[in-house]
Amino acid sequence: MKILMVLTSHDQLGNTGKPTGFWLEEFAAPYYVFRDAGVDITLASPKGGQPPIDPKSDDPGNQTEAMARFKDDPAAQRVLASTHRLADVKADDFDAVFYPGGHGPMWDLVNDVNSIALIESFYNAGKPVAAVCHGPGVLRKVTYQGEPIVKGKRVTGFTNSEEAAVQLTDVVPFLVEDELKRLGGRFEKAADWADFTVVDGRLVTGQNPASSTSGAKELLKLLR
């Protein structure tokens, strides 16, 4: 079983002058869910190489078991430091794709033609697509049979109230919840920061960092 994980290469939080990137838990937790299940994991990002970690995701208050495991795992660190260029990977070589979030994807992956084409290739081939937190934002320009991929689908993602809680409502290029609704998605959510993952057909979406593990496990269920 082979899963492609796609990470952001974007490291600037809008015009704030502050850094961003991917959320470490949203990579580490799924990475170990997949690895412990014997999955062959490949990492990719638009620029290749080391993707930027959002420093906020590594704050003392945000530490998790998966993050601690990653920090004690030089092999995993080497894999992360040498992601493939997104333009060089093909859906044909994998069984599913998983997008961790963090704010970075809102600026690069959402508009990345390679990412959009890749998701469409997976979905058109009957393969599952999974994304967590801000990750579902990458579905913004993805279509299936001429319609937005999320149209009529049960979906979730980082909520408006969660974005407000981190005080970035006016910084992000769009709000994940509003955009998924605008595209015709049937948006569902739990309480802020609660573990909540939705599966509709081949589409798996998780609400926030706490949903990283459940999102990865639901993806594995679809593959089995």
Side-chain angles (χ1 to χ4, degrees), residues 15 24 62 121 123 158 185:
N15 299 318
L24 188 52
N62 290 328
S121 293
Y123 208 75
F158 206 58

Side-chain angles (χ1 to χ4, degrees), residues 61-82:
N62 290 328
Q63 300 304 309
T64 65
E65 283 183 28
M67 286 165 61
R69 184 174 170 187
F70 174 72
K71 289 171 187 177
D72 285 334
D73 187 346
Q77 293 165 26
R78 285 193 295 273
V79 170
L80 180 65
S82 55

Side-chain angles (χ1 to χ4, degrees), residues 193-206:
W193 317 117
D195 176 3
F196 185 67
T197 292
V198 173
V199 182
D200 191 331
R202 302 191 299 283
L203 198 58
V204 180
T205 49

Side-chain angles (χ1 to χ4, degrees), residues 58-125:
D58 203 17
D59 281 351
N62 290 328
Q63 300 304 309
T64 65
E65 283 183 28
M67 286 165 61
R69 184 174 170 187
F70 174 72
K71 289 171 187 177
D72 285 334
D73 187 346
Q77 293 165 26
R78 285 193 295 273
V79 170
L80 180 65
S82 55
T83 66
H84 295 260
R85 283 181 66 251
L86 194 53
D88 297 335
V89 297
K90 296 181 178 66
D92 292 350
D93 297 332
F94 304 96
D95 300 304
V97 64
F98 187 99
Y99 280 77
H103 285 90
M106 303 279 283
W107 279 275
D108 65 350
L109 290 170
V110 166
N111 304 304
D112 188 292
V113 292
N114 294 309
S115 177
I116 293 163
L118 191 72
I119 296 169
E120 290 175 351
S121 293
F122 272 98
Y123 208 75
N124 289 336

